[in-house]
Structure formats: structure tokens, C-alpha cells
Amino acid sequence: MSADKILEWYGSLTSRRVDLVGDYAGQELFLVEGDSLLLHCLSDSRLDFDYGYQLLHAAYAVEYFIQGLVQRKCNLHIVFFTEHENLCVPRNTSTPNKPKYFLARAAIIRHLQANLGKAHPSIEIHVFASVHNQDFLDFLEVSGVYFVMSHDGANLVPTSEDSAIQGLSDEAKDDVEKQELSRRRSFRTMICSLITQGYNIALINGLEWQDTKVVATVVEGSKRARSAIGASLKTTDILEKESNPQTGLFDNIDASLTTLGLRRSLPEQNGTLSSKSKSSTDSRHHQGDDIANEAQEKLTERTYLGLIALAILLHKDVADRLVATAFLLHMVLIGEMDLSNRRVEPTSTKKQPHIDSFIARFSLEACKILRSTRWTQNMEMSSVTCDVIDIIDGRLLVAVLGSLKTVYGSVISSPRLASQFSRLTQALEALGCDQSGISEKALPLDGAEPSIKPSKIANASSLPSILPFSSATFDKHLASINISVAESRAPRPESARIFQEVTHWHNAKRRLDPKNSKELSGREKSRALRRNQFFMAEMRSYAASLTNAAGKSLDPETVTVGEPKKATPKMLEAKKETDSKTKNNKNPGSKAGSNRKNAGKQAMLSNIAANKAAKEEDLTEKTFKAWETARKSLDCETVASSRFLKAKSYLNSLANDKRNAIGAEVRFYMICVLLGIYKDLSKPSDKNSHQQDENVFGVASMLLDSLRKLSSSDGLNKVIIDSAKQISSSIGLPPVEFPALDLGRQLSFNPTTSMSNIPKLTLASSPKEFQLLYCGPYMDRNLDSAPDPRVPFEPDGWQRKVLDELDADKSIFVVAPTSAGKTFISFYAMERILRADDDGVLVYVAPTKALVNQIAAEIQARFKKTYRYNKSVWAIHTRDYRINNPNGCQILVTVPHILQIMLLSPSNARSWSPRLKYIIFDEIHSIGQAEDGVVWEQLLLLAPCPIIALSATVGNPGQFNSWLKSTQESIGNELTMISHPHRYSDLRKFIYTPPKKFAFNGLAERGSFATLGLDGLTGLAFVHPVASLVNKSRGMPNDLSLEARDCLSLWQVMARRQTKDFKVPSELDPVEALPETIRKADIIVWEKGLKELLRKWMNDGASPFDNVVEDLSKSIEQPGEDVQLSRRDGFDVEGDNLATVDPDSLKETTLPLLCKLNERSALPAILFNYDRHHCEVICHSVLDQLVAAEENWKQRSAVWKAKLDQWEQWKKNKAKTAGKKPLKAASKKKGKNEDDDPMSKADQIQDAASSGVDPWASFNPDDPIEGFHFAARHKSEKAELDTWFAQLGRRGVQSWLMDALSRGIGVHHAGMNRKYRQVVEMLFRKGFLRVVIATGTLALGINMPCATVVFSGDSIFLTALNFRQAAGRAGRRGFDLLGNVVFQNISKSKVCRLLSSRLPDLNGHFPITTTLVLRLFMLLHESDDAPYAAKAINSLLSQPRLYLDGSAFREQVLHHLRFSIEYLRRQSLLSSQGAPINFAGLTSHLYYTENSSFALNALIKEGYFHELCADINEKQSSVLRTLMVVMAHIFGRRPCREADQEYLEAVVKPSSSIVFLPELPRQASKILSRHNKETLETFTTYVETFVDQHITEPDTQLPLTGLSFGSTDTQTLSLPSFPQLPPTKVRSAFVALSGHGDNFSSIPDLCRTARGGVFLEEAVIPHLDVYPDESKTPLNAYLYDFYMHGSVEPLEKANGIRRSDVWFLLNDFSMVLATVIASLASFMKLPDSDVSMDTLAGVGDQSNTLQEDIFAAETVVGSEDDASSSASTLVDLGKTISEASLRPMKAPAKKKVKGKWDENDEDEAGDGSGSDWEETEMNAAMGARTVDEMEEGFLKVYKAMTLLQKEFNEKFYAMWA
């Protein structure tokens, strides 16, 4: 394929910007392409490869980048390709400088290979010839890498805009452009090759460090994309090889090293030495030995390399003796100078023009040597220290050459240095180079002059002073920080205003100032009431769909304070056992007296007991009669399997007391039914004998399970026991123990007939093997369960431990897989809070709103409580809506952001927050998320009470527990970790291979009755868990689970493959390892032993491990069917719609898969696809296929046509009789004794049933026909469905989605209508829906268990974490004995990776953000120093951090805190006494946009928006466009992937989107740049202060390998007249080698080049890089583009925004606008500025709320006017700004305006102290504006913002509607 085609193909690939660790790779291994790494690092503008050659700085840059990955827990290897070595050279590098990059490449590779393994043994460095090299392909297969990190050759700045190229000639520009194009082709050809092999590419260009996250663009290669490019690609267009040092390796390496006394034992090199060199070497052998004896201990690899390369140049007459002398002196200085003293200024080389040529030629020769394998072998054999990355210091060399006489004299005058120089000189002479005659007198005078003046160093005196600040709460934490404070004096009155939060839209108490409170209007009250009633009605309906573990509806329990929990029979039994133990321990002597006193009481109790027994006996009789009636009805069922299922359903529907009475008989009846099925299946048949045997064994295993359950049932009698034993014995099942009982009640049926002629079960093996193969899902799963009076079930040991810890009011951290039984924990804790009192509060924190709704509904279904005052049991509080009062409930269900707002709300500090008793953090692993993880961590640090942390997927539970434990202990709470590793039901995995052709003519009848799993279905290949361990380097995950039959097959294969050196111990033989009757607990022990042995084999290359994996992998290779036909039995036509299936199309392969699942009764199923749009596409496709097939059948079916004719005739008859009115029944007034009607209710029902119902009355020809839908219609009433569909229709849900629901198919993702999602969840739980296509949000705790989980298509979000979360939905406890997991359209390698992957470790964040600091001050100040506020601050600042722990890091965090305060002071957001001032409210309310909120504050503070909006009335269109550009630069920033010319031509120009955001207006750019500069000064001072106080060690260690460079000798080397620069204090000494001082150009410059030992997190320093001045990465103009054209399609095609993400991104920006407008209105005290929830939501969320208002008005009795009013509001939703708000606005009277910037606030806190800086800065901010001008300016800004919001929201709503 041509290079142009490759570029075009690459441009068509899709990409996502993700966190590589949290969202994508986790702990997975990935590759970093070495030359991409070098290009990325060597392109750093700070690196000096021109004036000087700073090789050590280059190595530092590479190590810094790799360390960034390692620190964030990335797992990586690095590979270099020899053919790519030219690709590491940056753009516009001159030809003489290119060899420098080649040497840098070779030296860094050698350095990493030699030194990295010592510090990080898990990181491997490899060098291959090319990406097509077989060794590399083998390496890919063996290593099992997940993806490759590479450069794609794109440059952030097009060549036409690169200022460095503008001065070149046209010819030179063309050369640069050609080189760039060639580089892109080379990188993208490699990318194509990797993608065709199934690897995604993470782009190293554009990678960002965001806190603990690595955010990069991942280019995805779908199967279709891979097939389009082809499988065979060769790398083309490698950059010119003119300077390529691949050939002509120096032949004398061995000889030279021998001369230098290093080489001792390596064999001779094949090459021949030149005669001159050979004779020279022979004559100097003795001299070399002397050198070796004297200096070998001192010489390192750089010395050997430098001497040999220098000798080559001298032999070739490239270098003269003076240059050689200077080079040797420079080598001495490198080893003896402190690294900080090597910072020299660049000097001119005009007087030594040959020095540039010397460095270039030296680089070439040194590179040739380093690339020789011979060199590497010699160095490794000799164990020489590898320090080749410091072989040359260009600046130092030029400086030495310019001051040669001075330097030579200084070196010679030092005995130590003179000795080293002498040894180097002798070594050079030993290599045949004459250095005699060199002396100080012979050297020329120093003459080089500095070409660049020394840069000024930012000393402490030149840095800005720290502004005064004092706060009693903060001061004690900041006491250790000693900093100089600027002199202060009282500020002018107008310097600032105290911030007062008049409104807070996230709190229940919105109005914090009672003076400003306003009563709601009558209509508003009515609407709010109706909305609440409507929500409650919906919640009750939703709650009714929830079930317990047994599948029964939840019954609410009335909770009374102080009253013990109402005991169930099991709880009473457990209590009886506990009480009996207690009684036995009591003193018997005290009993007699007590009995005499209570004799009367005992008699009364006896009478009560007798009456109760009589009632129970009467109930038992009625129960048996009802059962007898039901049994007779069951006997009429002709299909035995249906009879069994109906009997099972009847048993499950019984109340506990009734089940105790007749449970045993019902179970025995079910056994008799099973026995009949078993006998029928055992008869000889012509059908598939293998499948028949499987069915027989399946029924036999069900019989064994039923007998075991029967043995523990209540109501057993001798007849049942004897019959059960006879059945077990006759079949040959393992024995089941029954209790010895007397003859009991006679059975209502005669089992004799069923028990005759029972065939013996024919076992091919032992009974144990039968249990292992077929009975695993039925095995007894009780581990160490025992009755407990606290819960209505028998908890396992770990569950009892949970109860004990909660009863002790301790914190707990529970790690247990899905279905293990974690659910009860939360509700037990809730009930304890409810029973304790009416004031305590428990908060349940869920990661998604869907889970919030479910938990609230479940609370509604479980608990009832009566309160004296206006309180509720529960409330919901999310950003979108609230149900009940969040501050007036005892159980609050919310999301992390809202809880954080409430904990930091001043209005709650003295009321709500102190009442917290417990906080439950469900899905606690969400702390690892890139976006919201920091909020979770802040909540854990802020929690004022014990916590309950729950998760099924924590990769490092021990480490995370240690951190949680320490955080809880720091606030006086004790935390216990409780771990349970076992699922209740096993999961069985399958890979689906679609058929080649498929015809759908209706769903076939459901298949076999007793077969579990999907085994035996063509196209579904079973995956043994051990078969996934194809990559031994990954190890075996701790949670790799084996079910019983997996253990058996593993043992069989290991026993077959064992050798004399690797034996399988006899104690692992199931005959010895397992008892006769096997339980799940026995399997767990056996599994552990097998896995321990397998792990040993895995770690030993000589073991038969590979053979074991190979044998167990054979089942995966099952091919798909050639033709799959799906036809319902009894249909009179068979279609001819056989179609070829595209195996890579989810639209074409989903229906065939669903037909397979339906055939095996493996529905309901959830299909997970991690793209919202694709979920809808799949659903629509399946719906279309069902409808098309149904229409085809209708058109051809005679049966259907006959049915329509009958229906038409019925309608005619109905019309004829419509006029005849039936006789009116005589009315009968009910009297007092109306219940004396002789017809009972049952009789009436039976009479009504016998009268018959006309079947045509409910017939609808448009309803889906049986066989063409997946719905279980009997699970939901039609009237109920019609009601829901009507509600969905009025909410604007598309009709096709409701059509899909009617056919049993739903879609579930966060972008769907909330009501639609609820209906999907309810219908799925009811069993009506049997297919749901969903994103990963459904896997986060939502109660939608299913029989099968399908992973429908691959995705970068299908990670180890998400796989476990989603797969856990399968295997419904109480419903399914086994869960199925199916992989559809996912490669075998990805399947194996998912099954064998380890969960990612939870990595923390830097939690003390600047916004959080501001919000803490608001909490403290506005709550009047409430005790809770002080406690929260102390807690947050004193606890350890998950990411940064230890005392050293604590000091850094406190320093960071102090300078965050300094930043807030300088930005006029905080007073000297800690009072929030000015726009602190706006900034803090936009906390979720940090750091954008601070940029907005800077522009407001500097008056930019006043100037911009001054002409809003005259130039509205122009002002709004400019305003939109500015807002798009600040908020919702997304970088563009590339700016290549071909991309611009092919994608950008044809689109209506401009794609690349225009530059900021100059004035705005200056303000933000100035803001960034001020921030830079602040945090530079922070680093300097911290270094002064806490760092004493010199900065000499590389960040990754830890190697030290430079002398540790404290004696200063005196070099007079040498152009040294002062050492740096803040800047890294390695970066300072390129001449940089402590004056930094930007925040990234400071953060990325600060010295070692200082932690600086760029993401939490408030700044925004201004494009293009401070950042060369162009921003995506998607917000501006949408504002201009209002279309989604260009956003998707040109801007690269996925369609499924558009709504959320636009809604987020809409919410930002609403927040800004509300804050401006509140600040100016405009009329009606009290903020409502609706105002501060995105327009998409607003529409949902308005919809609910409409339906509340329609559904709940109320005014039709309100409904129509709401409806009209919805229609005009885009016009959200009232006309009044857009009219010319008049400012409020001055006396009513509380505290403007130029007016003193009467309530200002503190003593009024400030600084000169504050006064000057605030005056500058105001300029010469008068009060009236300021007010008018703000009003115009407000108007412009509202107009912008109006236009944006109108387009958004039009698109959304």
C-alpha cells in the first residue's frame, strides 16, 4: 500500500482520550516505542544541543518521562528499532547536529540496558532490527503486551507556522517539509503494522500528566480497519541515512580495551586490525598494563569510550592535540566538579570553528562503538560502571577550550586532578596518540568571549514577598513553615468585600441569609408538592419491582426507636440457641424463687401458647387443602418440565409459616416429577445419544440437589424419607442423610407409580466424578454459616464478623465478589441508625445516579417509620433532582459531589454534619477514576464518622486497607478489613463464533430442561480459566476461579502431563482429596492445592505447564456453524431469507447469538457495549430483523390470514350486537352483613373464570407475534405496559425504543431518558424484558441480575476492572445456579487477557486542591468557626494521603497548602484573616472545572469582560462570538489530535466546523498570561522555601535509575576566569546544564524541571496554558463550532467528538453558563436572584425536570393550567432567559447593594490588616471606574452571558429534541 494511502487510512481511525491506567491499561503490560520516546523528549526546547551538547540533560529528560509512567503504576517495556534511529531527530535539526542525536540515542539505550534493571527489574529494554523482524514478532507473542505507545509523526505546529523555520530559504523549508512528511509516513506505517496485529496505539505526542493519571489519545484499530489496510506492510520512507552510523564499526575495540587493561577473557574479534594499529598496540602492551594497574579502579565506561573515540579521531587527523587536551581536561572536570557547578554560559566557537566539527565526528565514532555488540559484551563481562550518558558536556568542553590555559593550570596544581589527567594522557598515548610536549606554557592564551550574557538568577530577595495571613485553625498546621511576610498596613476601605453566600443551589437550605428569604408562590408550592408526590408514586412502583435473594418482593418493616427487630422463625431459632447457652451458664440456685413468683404469669403464657397452637393447626389444615387443590391443577399439566417449574414457583410463593407446614411434601412432589422426566430420558432414543446422556445426567444432578434440600425441610415424615432413600438408591446417587422420624401425615398423592421401574444411572466413572462433572452448581454452598438472631438468614462467618464490627460502631472495609452477599451490610447499618433515634444520619454514596435511584427505592421497600416532626426515612439528592428533604431524613442517598458540597456547606456545619453516624461508600474502587476519584478521596479524608467501604474489585486491598485504617485511626475510629474471595454462583465463559449464514423465521422453542451452561451449542466454545494463562510473565491472578468440573479437568490434564521431575501429589487425586458427598467448601480446598501446584509449574520453564495450557485450550478452537436456522415449531411456512453473516458486524451477529441463548434457556441476558451509540444501533438492528421476519411470515402464512378473517368477523358481530343493551342487574344494597354473601371471593373468581373471556376482545394484530419477540408477556400486565408506554411517549422517547420494549429488548445507558431507564430496570427485574443492551454503568451495583452476560464487541474500556464488574451480573443468586459469560466479536487473545488479568491497584490523588482550600475557608468563615468546620479541616490536613504518604510528603503538602493560600490572597479571593471575598462564591461553585474557574476569575477581576461587553447593545453578534471564543478557551478544553496539512485539507476545510479554536483575543491572552506569571512566582517561591527548610542533599541523582553524577567532594574547584554560572536552587541541576537558571517561563516549566526531592503536581496549580503562547497544542473548537452551526454531524466527523458524548459535553457547558449567570446575579443582588435547582443545571437536565413537572401536573390531581404552563415551558425550553432579564437593567439602589468592590462591607471580618500589594492590585483592577460605571459594567456582562446562554441553549435543545 502506498504511503499516501496509509496516511489516508490512518486519518480514518477513531480515537479516544483516556486515562491509560485507570480507564484503559490498569496493570497490563504495554510497549513504549523507543524512538518515539526519544523524539518526544529530545524535542524539548529546554534541551541545549546547539550552543552546547548536553547529553546528561537529554538522559534526564528521558528518565523523567519514564519515571512519570512508573510513578503512576504503569507496567511497561521499551523497544527500539534499528531502522528507526533517524526518527528520533527533531524537526529543523541542522546536519552537523544530527550526529549528536545519534550518540544520544546509542548512549541512552546503553544506559537503560545497563542501569535500569537494578532500580526497576520489571522494565525490559530491547533492540530489534525492525517492526517486521521475526524476533520482535516472537517477543510480542511471548510478552503479551496490551498496546503500544508511539509517536504518530504529527507536529503540534504546522511547518508553515513554525517561527524557527520562517527564516530558512524556500529550498530549506521544502526539505524540512519533506522530512516531516517522511517521518509521518514512517511512524504511521509502523502503527498500521501494529494495528493489523491487533494492538491499539497510545500517542506519546499530546500525552499529559494529570495528577496521578496518564491522559493520552488512544487510536483504536477495529477488525474492519485492520482488514482494510492488509496484513503485510513494510516500513517505508525512513528518513535519510546520510548520517546513519550503521556501518564501518571500529575494528580495534578488543585491542584497544586490551591496551587499556580492561579486556581479559573475551574471544578474539573476527575482524582484522590494521597493521599500523596492531604494531602500535603490541609495542604498548607493557604500558597498558601499567595503566590498568594504576587507574582501572577509577576508569568507568564513559572514560573508556571517550579515550577510544578520541584516539580514532586523532588517528584520522580530525582532532589536534589541543582539542584532545581540552577533551581530556573536560573529562577530568566532569568527574570532579559538583553537578551544580557545571552550569556554564554558552561561549562563542568562532575562534575555534573546528570544535563543532569535532563534537559531530566524536559523536559519530562514539555512536559506532556503542552500537557494537562487542562493546556491550566487554563492558558487561568486566562489570564496569556504565555512565556513558555523561561522556561529553558540550558547554563545558567549549568553555575549557576557551580557557584552556587557566583550566590546565588549575588541574595541574591539584595533585588529585593532575594524577587523573596524567593517567588519561598516558592511556591516550598507549592507544597510539602522541600527547608529548603539552604544558601550560605551550598552551595558547585564553581568548573565547561569552556570546550570551549570564541569565539572572531568581534569588529570594528578587521573589515577591508573602502576603500576611492568619487563621487560628490553619496556623497550627502551618507553624513549621517559616517564610518572610511583607510589611502590612491597613487597607483602604474599598480594597475588598467580604463574600456572603446568599444562596447555595446545592443545599436544602438555599437561602442562608434569612433577610433575603422569600416565600414561594401558591403555584410554586403546588407544583413542588405535585412533583414530590409524582416522584414518590414512581418510587413506590420502582420499589415494587425489587426482590430479595429468593426472588420474592420486599416487604417494608415498620421501625420503632428502641424496639428490637421483629424476629423471623430463623432468627427466633437462633435466639433460642443463644438463650439456651446463656441459661446453662446461669446459677441454678436462683431459679426456684423466680418460678414461684411467676407462676401466674406462666399459666397465662401457657394459655396463650395453647390458643396459638390451635390457630396454627387450623392454618396447617387450610394450607394442606390449598396445596391439594393446587396439586390437582399441576397434575393436569401435560409437560413434565412445566409441571416442575410451576410447583417450584408455588413453593417459592408460600409464606414462611405455610412453607414450614407443607414444604417437604411439595419438594417431594417435585422430586417425583423429576423422576418421571429422568425415566423418560433414560429410554433408548434415535436422537443424539451424547446429548441424551447429558440430559439424563443433568436431571440426575437435579434429583440429587432436590433430595439434599428435602433432607433439611420442615414437615418431613417417614413416608417421604423412605421414598426419597429408595429413589436415591435405585438411581445410584450418592447417599443423602435424613433424620429419623415417626410416621407422619399421609401424603395427598400416591408416589408409588412414579417410583416403579427406576433405571440405574449409568456412570462412565465414579460417583465423585459424576458430582464433579454435573453437580458442581448444585453443591451445598454453606461455608461456615450459622444462625444469627440479628438477620433473617444464616450468615457465613465473614458476614457475622461484619455484623459484630457494625454493632461495635467500627469502620469496615469489605472486599467480596458480586453475589457473595454484601447487600445486607448496608441495610443492616441503616436499620441500626433508624432504631437508635430520630436524629442520626447515614449517608449512602453511590457512583451513579442509576444506583442512587435503586438504593432509595430499596429503602422505600424495606423500611417504614413514623416521626413526630416533618422528617422522612430517606431522601435522594443529586445535581438533577431531589426527593424528600436531604437535611430532614435519616438515610440520604447521593453521589460523591453532592455529599462533598453538603459536608463543605457552612449552613450544615452546626446542624446536619454533626449528626452523621455512618457513611457508606459503595463501589469504593471508584477512587481510582480519573475524573471523580479525587472527590472520593477527599470525602474519605473529610468523613466525620465511621465509614463502610464496599467493593468487589480492588487490586491492592492490603495497601488500600492500610491507608484507610490510618485515616480512620487519625480521627479516632477503628477500621477492620473483611475479605471474602468466593462467588456464590460460578461463572462459565464462552467465545461465540457466528454462523456463516443465518435465517431467522421465528424463535425456536426453548431447549433442554436440565442442562446448565451453554456447552454443546455449536458456535459457543467453552474457555477453561487455565487456558487463558498463555502468557506466563503475567502470572496467575489471585481471583482466578475454578468451578468443580474445571478442577477435575485440570487435575486430569496435569496427571496426564506430569513427569518424573514434576509430579502431581497423590493427595490432589479427587479420590483422596474429596469426601463421598462433595460440598463447595471441599472444592475450594482442592482448588487451592491445584492452583498452588500449577503456579509452581508456571514459574519453572522446564515444567509441563505449556502442555497443560495447550490441552485445556483445545475446546476454544470450536468453529461456528455453516448455516444456522431459527424456526418456531408449528409455523406453517419457512422463509427463504438465508443471508451471509459478516462475522465482524455486531448488527448481524447479535440475533443469531440471542437465538442460541434462547435455545438453551440462557435468557435473560445483558449485552455490554461500552459505546452509547452502538448500544442503540444494536438494539435497532435486532428490532428491525424481528419485525422484518414477522412481516415476512404474516404475508405468507395461511394461519395468520385465517386468524385475521376470524377477527374481522368478530368485529362485525360485535358491531351488530353493540346496540342491544344487556338487562341491568338488580341492584342490591349492602347491609351490615354484606360479608354473609354465600359466594366466597374464591367462588366468585372461579364463577367469573368459568363464564369465559372472549379471546378476540384483547386481540391486536399489531402486537408482536409469539416467536418474533423475546418478551415474557406473562410477567407483566398489558395495562401496566400501556401506562408506562404512554408516559414514555409524552416524555419524547422515540417510538422504536418502545417497540423494542414490547419485544423484550431494552437499552440502558446514562444518555437515555431517566424514566425510560427506570422502566427498563423494572421490566427486566419482572422478567418481561429478557435482552438489555447496556454500557458499563449498569454494572455498578444495579440490581439487574441475569443468566448470561455478553461482552458485545471490544472496547478500550473493556478492562480488567470493567470485565469483572460486568461479568458479575451473571448468575442470579436465588435464580441461577450458574452464570454464563459470552464474548462476542472479541479476539481470543483479548479474552485470555481479560480472564488472566490482575485488577489495577488503587492509586490516590493529590487531594489538597486550591479550590478545596477556598471552600474550606468558606466553610470555616461562614459557619462562624463551627466545631465541625475546624474538625473537618484538622482531619483533612492531618491524615495521610493515598498517593503521597510519609512525613516528608506531609511537609510538602503543607507547603503547597500555604502557597495555595498565598495564591488565593493574590487573586483577591481571600482576605488576610481568611475571609472569602469578591468572586470566591463563583470560583468555588465552579470547583468541578478547576483550573478554569480561576482563569474566569482573573478575567473578571481585571475587567476584561467589562470591556468586551461594553458594546453588547450595539454589537451584540460580534460581542457574543468573541465571548464564546473566550469561554471555549476556558471551559471544556479538549486538545486536537493532530494538525497535519493532509488532515486540514481532507477533514477540516470541507466541514462547517473550524475544528481548531481561534486564538484568544489579545487582551484576554495578556491577562491570563499575567495571571499565570503571578502564579508561577508564587509557586516558585514555594519550592525555594521548601528547599531552604527541608532539603539538604545535593541534586545529583537521576529520577529513574537513581545514578549519581558529579563529585561529592565538598571542596570547591577553583577555576578563575572560567564562565561558570551560579548554581540553581529550584531548578534541577541536570536541566541547569543547558544553562537554565531559577527563572522559569511557565508553570509546566517549573513543575517538570524542579529539582529532585520536591513534589510539584502541575494539575493542581491553578493555571491554564494559553494557546499558542504557552502551549503549542491547539484546542478543539467543538463548543464554538456548535454555537455557530448547532449541528451534531460536523462535531462527530470533523471535530472528532463521539456522537454518544456530544450531549454530555454540551450539557456540561450549559451548566457552566447557568452557574456563571447565577453567581453574577447573586453578586449584584439583582431582583429574583435567588437561585433554583433548574437554573443551575444544563439545559438537558432542565428539560428532564420540566418534563417531570408536566407529568406531575397530569398524573396528580391538580390544575390543568399548571400542566399546560409547564408544557409550554418545555416547548420553549431554548428560550430560558425571560424578556425581563434581557431588557436594560437598572442597578439596585446603593444602600441596598451590600459590599461592592469600591465600598466597605459593614460585616467585614478581621482587623482589616492587609498589604500594599492588596491595595495597589485592587485599585488596578478597578481602574478609574466610578461606582455607577462598575454597576453598569456588571449588568452588561450579565446581559451578555444571558444572551450567550439563550442562543447556546436554543441550539442545544433543538439538537436534543
Side-chain angles (χ1 to χ4, degrees), residues 326-630:
F327 188 83
L328 295 181
L329 288 170
H330 134 279
M331 290 182 70
V332 172
L333 294 181
I334 284 178
E336 292 299 324
M337 291 180 71
D338 181 84
L339 197 61
S340 60
N341 290 325
R342 279 171 52 182
R343 178 174 175 256
V344 298
E345 53 186 292
T347 52
S348 172
T349 58
K350 292 180 180 179
K351 295 186 179 180
Q352 299 94 14
H354 54 287
I355 190 63
D356 288 333
S357 174
F358 168 79
I359 293 177
R361 293 300 299 271
F362 177 86
S363 299
L364 279 176
E365 298 302 335
C367 180
K368 292 177 184 178
I369 298 171
L370 281 176
R371 294 190 68 253
S372 167
T373 56
R374 223 38 201 177
W375 175 267
T376 303
Q377 291 171 356
N378 276 286
M379 294 299 109
E380 290 178 352
M381 288 290 292
S382 304
S383 300
V384 175
T385 300
C386 178
D387 54 356
V388 293
I389 54 172
D390 203 15
I391 187 176
I392 185 171
D393 183 333
R395 286 188 175 225
L396 184 62
L397 176 59
V398 173
V400 169
L401 195 59
S403 305
L404 188 57
K405 196 178 189 71
T406 300
V407 175
Y408 182 84
S410 298
V411 169
I412 294 301
S413 64
S414 168
R416 186 179 77 254
L417 301 185
S419 174
Q420 291 185 37
F421 179 72
S422 175
R423 289 169 187 155
L424 294 180
T425 304
Q426 293 176 32
L428 194 59
E429 290 178 348
L431 292 173
C433 303
D434 184 11
Q435 285 293 100
S436 60
I438 293 295
S439 65
E440 187 173 1
K441 292 182 179 180
L443 295 176
L445 297 175
D446 300 341
E449 297 294 332
S451 61
I452 299 178
K453 295 182 179 180
S455 57
K456 295 181 180 180
I457 308 303
N459 298 319
S461 58
S462 65
L463 290 170
S465 301
I466 303 301
L467 297 179
F469 165 80
S470 178
S471 169
T473 303
F474 282 87
D475 286 349
K476 62 182 180 181
H477 294 283
L478 303 175
S480 62
I481 303 174
N482 300 314
I483 48 179
S484 59
V485 178
E487 294 183 5
S488 62
R489 61 184 178 85
R492 290 192 350 187
E494 67 268 25
S495 65
R497 58 163 283 178
I498 296 294
F499 170 81
Q500 183 175 11
E501 186 183 27
V502 180
T503 62
H504 196 308
W505 47 89
H506 298 304
N507 295 336
K509 294 183 179 179
R510 291 178 184 161
R511 301 169 189 82
L512 306 184
D513 187 348
K515 298 177 183 178
N516 298 330
S517 61
K518 183 184 69 174
E519 287 293 327
L520 293 175
S521 67
R523 171 169 289 189
E524 288 173 332
K525 287 182 178 179
S526 176
R527 182 174 296 177
L529 177 61
R530 285 198 302 274
R531 183 191 299 127
N532 201 54
Q533 291 173 341
F534 182 71
F535 269 121
M536 291 302 295
E538 282 200 330
M539 191 58 65
R540 284 191 291 271
S541 176
Y542 187 82
S545 71
L546 295 166
T547 59
N548 60 20
K552 297 182 64 177
S553 297
L554 297 170
D555 296 322
E557 179 182 355
T558 301
V559 180
T560 305
V561 173
E563 182 179 293
K565 182 180 176 67
K566 185 177 179 181
T568 64
K570 285 190 177 181
M571 295 169 66
L572 290 172
E573 180 184 344
K575 189 174 187 305
K576 186 184 291 184
E577 291 183 13
T578 306
D579 291 344
S580 64
K581 293 177 182 177
T582 306
K583 285 181 180 179
N584 292 337
N585 295 331
K586 286 184 179 179
N587 183 0
S590 63
K591 225 173 190 182
S594 176
N595 286 340
R596 285 191 297 270
K597 292 179 182 179
N598 297 323
K601 184 178 180 181
Q602 291 295 334
M604 181 184 67
L605 292 176
S606 297
N607 290 333
I608 294 174
N611 292 333
K612 184 178 179 182
K615 288 182 180 180
E616 289 178 352
E617 185 176 353
D618 182 55
L619 177 63
T620 301
E621 286 299 323
K622 290 181 179 179
T623 302
F624 269 101
K625 286 181 180 180
W627 157 240
E628 188 171 358
T629 302

Side-chain angles (χ1 to χ4, degrees), residues 88 156 222 250 297 401 415 530 532-533 772 821 862 915 946 1003 1061 1194 1264 1310 1374 1380 1591 1612 1616 1632 1751 1833 1844:
C88 71
L156 297 177
S222 63
F250 181 52
E297 293 301 322
L401 195 59
R530 285 198 302 274
N532 201 54
Q533 291 173 341
L772 293 172
R862 287 177 182 269
R915 293 166 49 209
L1003 290 172
D1061 295 326
K1194 285 181 177 180
N1380 302 302
I1591 295 183
T1612 303
F1751 304 127
L1844 180 67

Side-chain angles (χ1 to χ4, degrees), residues 677-948:
I677 297 174
Y678 168 76
K679 289 162 64 175
D680 290 340
L681 289 173
S682 299
K683 296 175 182 177
S685 173
D686 296 333
K687 296 182 179 180
N688 185 332
S689 59
H690 173 74
Q691 186 60 47
Q692 183 181 7
D693 290 343
E694 292 294 310
N695 292 338
V696 170
F697 290 137
V699 175
S701 60
M702 289 182 69
L703 277 166
L704 179 59
D705 177 56
S706 299
L707 289 169
R708 287 174 181 161
K709 291 178 179 176
L710 178 65
S711 66
S712 59
S713 297
D714 294 322
L716 282 173
N717 59 44
K718 194 171 187 304
V719 175
I720 294 177
I721 293 174
D722 291 344
S723 300
K725 289 181 178 179
Q726 181 182 344
I727 293 172
S728 177
S729 175
S730 299
I731 298 176
L733 296 174
V736 178
E737 293 186 6
F738 285 89
L741 295 175
D742 296 332
L743 185 63
R745 187 186 187 99
Q746 185 177 355
L747 296 179
S748 64
F749 65 96
N750 185 3
T752 307
T753 306
S754 302
M755 296 176 58
S756 60
N757 301 321
I758 301 176
K760 197 80 171 178
L761 185 65
T762 305
L763 295 175
S765 56
S766 67
K768 286 185 180 180
E769 188 168 331
F770 162 72
Q771 293 180 71
L772 293 172
L773 284 174
Y774 300 101
C775 302
Y778 300 101
M779 288 177 179
D780 180 8
R781 276 167 158 66
N782 289 331
L783 299 180
D784 51 358
S785 58
D788 192 297
R790 294 171 289 185
V791 289
F793 62 93
E794 293 189 1
D796 292 338
W798 70 275
Q799 292 172 317
R800 293 195 300 276
K801 187 175 182 182
V802 167
L803 295 173
D804 294 340
E805 300 302 308
L806 291 180
D807 287 345
D809 292 326
K810 295 181 181 179
S811 296
I812 57 172
F813 170 40
V814 180
V815 182
T818 308
S819 88
K822 297 191 299 294
T823 304
F824 86 98
I825 299 172
S826 300
F827 297 107
Y828 181 79
M830 292 175 189
E831 188 172 356
R832 288 187 71 249
I833 297 298
L834 292 174
R835 292 190 184 279
D837 53 46
D838 289 341
D839 293 324
V841 175
L842 178 146
V843 180
Y844 187 103
V845 184
T848 64
K849 289 182 286 187
L851 185 54
V852 165
N853 292 331
Q854 177 192 295
I855 295 300
E858 201 156 351
I859 298 170
Q860 167 82 10
R862 287 177 182 269
F863 304 121
K864 292 189 299 185
K865 187 176 180 180
T866 302
Y867 294 93
R868 294 180 59 189
Y869 303 104
N870 187 22
K871 286 188 175 183
S872 61
V873 171
W874 60 272
I876 287 178
H877 193 184
T878 68
R879 198 181 291 277
D880 298 352
Y881 59 91
R882 291 177 294 178
I883 304 178
N884 295 332
N885 182 1
N887 292 70
C889 68
Q890 283 199 268
I891 303 173
L892 174 63
V893 190
T894 186
V895 291
H897 281 279
I898 297 300
L899 177 58
Q900 185 194 46
I901 288 171
M902 295 186 73
L903 289 176
L904 295 176
S905 170
S907 64
N908 290 334
R910 294 184 180 273
S911 56
W912 182 80
S913 298
R915 293 166 49 209
L916 290 178
K917 303 300 182 184
Y918 257 115
I919 300 178
I920 300 175
F921 294 94
D922 200 359
E923 312 291 348
I924 189 63
H925 56 268
S926 299
I927 196 175
Q929 293 176 348
E931 294 184 1
D932 297 333
V934 66
V935 179
W936 285 82
E937 185 167 349
Q938 289 171 351
L939 286 177
L940 289 167
L941 296 174
L942 283 169
C945 58
I947 65 169
I948 300 172

